[in-house]
């Protein structure tokens, strides 16, 4: 912003300009033509030294100033002297940049040479895909004016305006070595407070003295690079193209040292970003069916790179405004950020392993809590069971077929006219009895909630609205005089402001009333982008630069108000323009607190819209997917990405939400879904039943579906143990083998932890899988047979009743005899699958608690294989319970043992000569005592 705007801001503030207008920058929509001393100085070029800024016809004061140039009448109207000329210190646009690194001057549509030149920018074609033809000249760069804080802070200034409204001419850049592996780079306006994301990050006080990175600040023009000490690799290079920082356009280009990049969500794409396509991603929460090249439900501006030597790094931009992130196959690779407000607040993580990067990122944004054990089971859901009778029928056929499941859910059809905190006693009059029955069988119950609250009911007939008005917790119009009215499922609605301090008590009051009627065990919060069937509001939005910013990234609907609220809508914490991407986050945080207070147990909440840090409160699912094979594939990149984003409890609607699914697709999806961290089937109201026991499926399909579920339940102790580590659960192969170039693109297979390799069938009619086995020791999880050749692709058999799962040598996986739900399976015997490495060693662990208590006492048991000796160490034994080991399977036993002893006592065993597997069964060993098994 120029100084003229500061003057106007001060004057209007004194006469009472409401501060909410300043939310998207603080400057709001200020305009003015005051000529400042700086402008006079910059335009004081000697007449004969003026360089023409508008050589083509059509020069006018408005066109000239739009280019950031000076407009002055020549002395004596000298026809040789230019009216429109470059400011002092600028000798004309510096357009010598190559096609590799350019700061886009005309993002969006309509770029042409004439339009570009009218902005005072450079126009040059380029063969680099995605690189702009129209770009900012280098003469527009910021330069360092002052160094402070022992070189950790610098004041920046620029001499020329850009064409973007309200340039911020003076900036400050702070570089903070927060930890030895985490560096913060913050670029902001030191003179005027701008909006910053109100996220409670886990920052550290002080500055780390020992780091594995260095940084360098270039002065003229300003640039900043971050270099890994050990390899001299430049991980973050912000010196490639001019920085742009205006009120509603912040643009920075960053060079990266690799083409192997992962992350940036939420969007549908392969797990490895297809850099060769010069992809771009718009991050703006939106109610939309998942599809490629579309902004989806949440915003996660985090990217992880893996260098050719296997070293990894991460970059996170903390910004909740509308974002566009483009990636260009330049040298070095360019990632170009455009934000429509806020500040530039980067964090660089130096790893060096991919897992290190994820841990470092989560240490900043928060680690996900351990979910309740029951929530790891299979969840059954659909929109429109057809009332109580249909819901009961679904439960009974699942039980009759002995299908393991832990929870049944209701979508909006259980409500009265789709209104929150109600249930339809006509269609679902038996619902309280159904919930009792569910609980009596050890099962759980989950209901859906949407944020839109009906405002059309007679006064006194709908307390959630009446109380909300009294508590003043609904989102307001720009001037605060009325509530924003939109339209969602109940019809006309208003929207809770989850940033308001009164909202949690209001939300809890009505949750508590509902819980007394229908004692739900979990909550499902949907439509919280927030979604609105009317763009903006029932009455539209104002005509201003909030609703119509100078630049709008490519978005579904073409506008930032499409299917959501007006950008000028007023929240307690600021403007919707800034807070839109955080709506689901704030609702998640409030709902987590409410459910914890009601249950006094670990909450389970599923949210569609998420932001950085949402994993501290909620699980997530992919949204309204389709019942087709391509959606089956895309579910894997979705799961892997959210395990990077700090939301490892992630799944998709098994068998597809929209459309019909046949037996084959549903079976294959259940087999894959058994390895989603969160496992749920869901179905739209217009599709036939797709649950595992659906009567339309054959008895053979029922058997296959049951086995997929039983496999899930057998592995729940392993999944729960992985969750207890508070690290990624579902992992790409490249994270385990970062130097294996063959694994860069693999996203049709994935790992659970570092132990299990899952290779599903993803194509109709296929009964084999072309699977990649990294150079290591691998065994078939079910038979123990060793994979003979590794470090290569291998075709493996995959009949319709099988999903390929392999266990890595050197790992130990705890299991449990499965049952029809977790309440029953938790009472059963444990097992161990021990996969010997090439050195005859293996390690693993089991975490166990009561599965529901907050900060529960727990048991943790470490297992270790060394040669022909398997032992356990009790790391913690604070949870009083019975834990019995019933079986041990050891893979990779070279010769048949003559004797097998457990704690000195001989036990019955078998040995498979062909597969070299030792089986010890019918054990009754107390796991809470040290184990020694020898052979």
């Amino acid at each position: 912003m120029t100084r003229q705007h500061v003057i106007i801001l001060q004057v209007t503030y004194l006469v009472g300009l409401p501060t909410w207008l300043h939310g998207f920058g603080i400057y709001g929509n200020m305009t003015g033509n005051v000529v400042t001393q700086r402008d006079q100085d910059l335009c004081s070029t000697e007449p004969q030294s003026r360089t023409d800024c508008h050589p083509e016809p059509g020069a006018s004061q408005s066109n000239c100033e739009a280019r950031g140039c000076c407009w002055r009448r020549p002395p004596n109207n000298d026809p040789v002297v230019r009216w429109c000329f470059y400011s002092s210190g600028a000798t004309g646009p510096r357009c010598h940049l190559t096609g590799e690194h350019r700061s886009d001057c005309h993002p969006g549509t309509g770029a042409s040479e004439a339009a570009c030149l009218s902005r005072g920018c450079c126009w040059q074609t380029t063969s680099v895909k995605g690189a702009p033809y129209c770009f900012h000249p280098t003469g527009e760069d910021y330069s360092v004016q002052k160094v402070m804080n022992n070189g950790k802070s610098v004041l920046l200034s620029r001499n020329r305006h850009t064409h973007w409204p309200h340039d911020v001419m003076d900036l400050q850049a702070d570089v903070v070595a927060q930890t030895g592996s985490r560096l913060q780079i913050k670029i902001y306006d030191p003179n005027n407070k701008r909006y910053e994301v109100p996220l409670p990050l886990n920052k550290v006080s002080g500055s780390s003295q020992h780091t594995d990175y260095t940084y360098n600040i270039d002065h003229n023009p300003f640039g900043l690079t971050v270099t890994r000490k050990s390899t001299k690799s430049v991980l973050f290079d912000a010196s490639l193209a001019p920085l742009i920082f205006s009120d509603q356009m912040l643009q920075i280009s960053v060079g990266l040292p690799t083409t192997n990049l992962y992350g940036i969500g939420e969007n549908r794409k392969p797990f490895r970003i297809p850099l060769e396509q010069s992809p771009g991603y718009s991050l703006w929460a939106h109610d939309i069916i998942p599809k490629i090249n579309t902004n989806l439900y949440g915003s996660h501006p985090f990217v992880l790179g893996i260098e050719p030597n296997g070293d990894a790094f991460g970059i996170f931009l903390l910004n909740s405004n509308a974002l566009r992130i483009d990636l260009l196959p330049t040298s070095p690779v360019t990632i170009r950020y455009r934000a429509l407000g806020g500040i530039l607040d980067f964090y660089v993580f130096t790893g060096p392993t991919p897992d290190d990067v994820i841990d470092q990122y989560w240490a900043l944004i928060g680690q996900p809590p351990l979910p309740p054990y029951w929530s790891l089971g299979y969840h059954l859901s659909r929109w429109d069971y057809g009332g109580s009778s249909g819901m009961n029928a679904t439960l009974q056929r699942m039980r009759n077929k002995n299908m393991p499941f832990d929870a049944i859910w209701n979508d909006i059809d259980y409500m009265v006219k789709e209104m929150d905190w109600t249930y339809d006693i006509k269609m679902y009059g038996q619902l309280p009895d159904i919930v009792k029955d569910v609980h009596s069988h050890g099962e759980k119950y989950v209901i859906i909630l949407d944020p839109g609250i009906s405002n059309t009911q007679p006064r006194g007939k709908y307390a959630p609205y009446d109380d909300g008005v009294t508590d003043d917790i609904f989102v307001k119009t720009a001037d605060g005089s009325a509530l924003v009215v939109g339209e969602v499922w109940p019809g006309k609605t208003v929207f809770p402001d989850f940033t308001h301090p009164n909202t949690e008590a209001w939300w809890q009051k009505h949750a508590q009333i509902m819980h007394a009627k229908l004692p739900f065990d979990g909550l499902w919060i949907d439509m919280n982008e927030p979604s609105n069937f009317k763009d903006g509001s029932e009455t539209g939005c104002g005509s201003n630069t909030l609703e119509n910013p100078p630049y709008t990234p490519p978005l579904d609907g073409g506008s930032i108000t499409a299917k959501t609220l007006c950008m000028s809508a007023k929240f307690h914490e600021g403007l919707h323009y800034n807070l839109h991407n955080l709506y689901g986050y704030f609702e998640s945080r409030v709902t987590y607190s409410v459910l914890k207070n009601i249950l006094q147990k670990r909450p389970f909440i599923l949210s569609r819209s998420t932001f950085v840090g949402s994993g501290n409160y909620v699980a997530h699912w992919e949204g309204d997917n389709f019942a087709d094979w391509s959606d089956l594939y895309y579910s894997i990149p979705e799961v892997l990405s959210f395990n990077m984003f700090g939301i490892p409890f992630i799944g998709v609607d098994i068998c597809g939400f929209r459309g019909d699914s046949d037996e084959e697709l549903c079976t294959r999806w259940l087999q894959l879904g058994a390895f989603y961290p969160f496992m749920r089937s869901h179905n739209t109201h217009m599709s036939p039943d797709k649950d595992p026991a659906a009567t339309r499926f054959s008895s053979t399909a029922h058997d296959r579906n049951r086995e997929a579920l039983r496999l899930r339940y057998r592995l729940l102790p392993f999944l729960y143990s992985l969750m207890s580590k508070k690290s990624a659960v579902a992992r790409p192969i490249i994270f385990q083998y970062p130097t294996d170039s063959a694994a860069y693109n693999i996203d049709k297979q994935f790992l659970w932890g570092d132990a299990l390799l899952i290779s599903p069938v993803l194509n109709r009619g296929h009964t084999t899988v072309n699977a990649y086995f990294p150079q290591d020791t691998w065994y078939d999880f079910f038979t123990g047979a060793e994979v003979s050749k590794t470090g290569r692709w291998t075709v493996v058999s995959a009949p319709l009743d099988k999903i390929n799962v392999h266990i890595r040598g050197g790992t130990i996986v705890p299991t449990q005899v499965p049952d029809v739900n977790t309440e029953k399976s938790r009472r059963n015997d444990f097992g161990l699958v021990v996969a010997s490495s090439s050195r005859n060693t293996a390690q693993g662990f089991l975490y166990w608690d009561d599965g529901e208590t907050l900060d529960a006492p727990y048991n943790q048991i470490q297992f270790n294989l060394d040669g022909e000796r398997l032992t356990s160490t009790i790391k913690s034994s604070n949870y009083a319970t019975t834990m019995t080991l019933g079986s041990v399977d050891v893979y990779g036993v070279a010769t048949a043992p003559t004797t097998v002893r457990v704690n000195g006592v001989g036990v019955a065993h078998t040995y498979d000569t062909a597969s070299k597997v030792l089986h010890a069964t019918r054990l009754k060993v107390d796991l809470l005592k040290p184990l020694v098994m020898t052979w």
Side-chain angles (χ1 to χ4, degrees), residues 283-297:
L283 306 189
W284 189 242
H286 188 56
D287 176 7
I288 185 66
I289 298 168
K291 55 185 178 181
I292 297 171
N293 297 326
T294 301
N295 51 304
L296 298 183
Y297 309 110

Side-chain angles (χ1 to χ4, degrees), residues 143 255 373 494 526 673 733:
S143 61
Y373 193 87
V494 292
D526 193 11
I733 293 175

Side-chain angles (χ1 to χ4, degrees), residues 86 88-98 120-124 135-141 159-160 220-221 242:
Y86 288 98
S88 177
T91 59
R94 299 177 184 175
C95 299
H96 62 275
L97 294 175
T98 69
C121 291
C122 304
W123 178 270
Q124 288 181 1
F135 56 95
H136 289 277
T138 56
E140 293 184 355
D141 294 39
N159 290 326
R160 293 185 60 224
N220 190 16

